Amino acid sequence: MSLSSAINTANSIFSNTAQQTAIVSKNIANASNSDYSRRLAMLGTSGNGAQVVSIQRAQNDALLKQNMVSISQASAQGTLFAGLETLKSALGGNDYETAPSTYLASFRDSLQTFASTPGNTTVAATLVQDATDLANSLNKTSTSVQDMRLEADKEIASSVDKLNGLLADFEKANNGVLSATASGADASDALDQRDKLLRQISEIVGISTVTRSNNDTVIYTSDGTVLFENTPRKVTFQATSGFGATTTGQKVYIDGVPVAAGAGGNTSGEGKLSTLLQLRDEIAPKYQSQLDEVARGLVELFKEQSGATTLPGLFTWTPAVPPATVPPAGTTVPGIAATLKVNPLALSNPLLVRDGGFNGAAYVQNTTGSSGYSDLLDKFTAAMDGNLAFDTATGLDGSTSIMDFATSSVGWLEDLRSSASTANDNKVALLSRTQEALNNETGVSMDEELSLLLDLEQSYKASAKLVSTVDAMMAALLEAVR
């Protein structure tokens, strides 16, 4: 080896070591950055020995795609579980202390007590108060359900805005990857940014990706709708200002295709949009219909009848048009739970519950005015434990007592929440495992990087020794020719 070739070799080693050290330093600086993929300096041979020919980025496309699916599923499940927890809290938490079924049981107990002591005006007043508490519970719960729908609608609007912003950012990142790939430059930073955006997009909507030539990426939703191809597809949504039992929320459209809502406690949805739609359009309306059926059942049970005419008695409500008769059995009256109330006459004269006559003398049952009259109260008590016809669209038994129906409504919600809780734990665990597997493949290991630094140090020392040796030989050669 000539002295000049030795110097060139040493310079090549210094250059390689400098580049490799820069890469290792960057890896170490991003060791805690979950959106960073490890860089590797790849060596090749040249006339002066090995040299850095390219910078490769650690990646595993299969694990990345599985990670995005896990993110979508965990995000959807977590959103559903949070919504059900909010609804449970509105009903009093673990024991459902403020649920209508709880107040219904207290009202039934007061009714039985009054039936055994029909002349006791204090017990009569207590019964009316319990009836008022029951009506208020249905009112408040109905309001909570519609508030939850409104909050879900607002979050849908926010998520749609965020998704459109992420897609715009993705276009820039994807163009950066294309430009770097076409020019032969290092595309690692642009690829990191693009993968980060993909993970953020997958939290909002389930996606799949296809990589084309020049590292160009196309994004599809989990149901096959194009979300991004060269340019972002528009995601549109019109928010609703307020919700009632008869209000229908607007759909979310991706490139003109509506986003489907998830289904079930272990939701089929991917991404939070699907379960926000599920909460707003499926779960909350169904629970509202159950509340409405409890309210309608109360109106039916405590109705007054004279001949062929039936009118609301102890319980009434505020419809847009006052009804001539009690609502038909087995048919939901949307929103009745929100305005159910105790007949104002009962507040001024609680004994009307015992005697009848809320709608005039023709409806009085205790015609003698006896303080021991309990026939009507006994009839009400028996009716509360007897079967009524309920709307099967509520998802509950269509023929059961109002007590069992109200209890089943709580059971329906708790079963759904429990299923969502179990599924949430499972999907979060799966996400954790896929993230760990992906990080093992693409993340930075401090032990490996520090070990590599030690190797680079030895390489630097070797090249420095070579330069020192060449310098000594050059000095001896110059001394010899003097």
Side-chain angles (χ1 to χ4, degrees), residues 3-17:
L3 293 181
S4 61
S5 63
I7 288 294
N8 290 335
T9 299
N11 286 335
S12 177
I13 294 173
F14 281 134
S15 176
N16 292 340
T17 302

Side-chain angles (χ1 to χ4, degrees), residues 88 91-99 102 410:
K88 179 181 178 180
L91 297 176
N94 290 334
D95 296 325
Y96 292 93
E97 297 93 340
T98 59
T102 302
V410 171

Side-chain angles (χ1 to χ4, degrees), residues 446-466:
M446 289 295 292
D447 291 339
E448 290 182 16
E449 300 304 319
L450 292 174
S451 176
L452 184 54
L453 272 180
L454 292 176
D455 292 340
L456 293 172
E457 181 183 9
Q458 295 303 315
S459 178
Y460 179 84
K461 286 181 179 179
S463 60
K465 182 66 175 176
L466 178 60

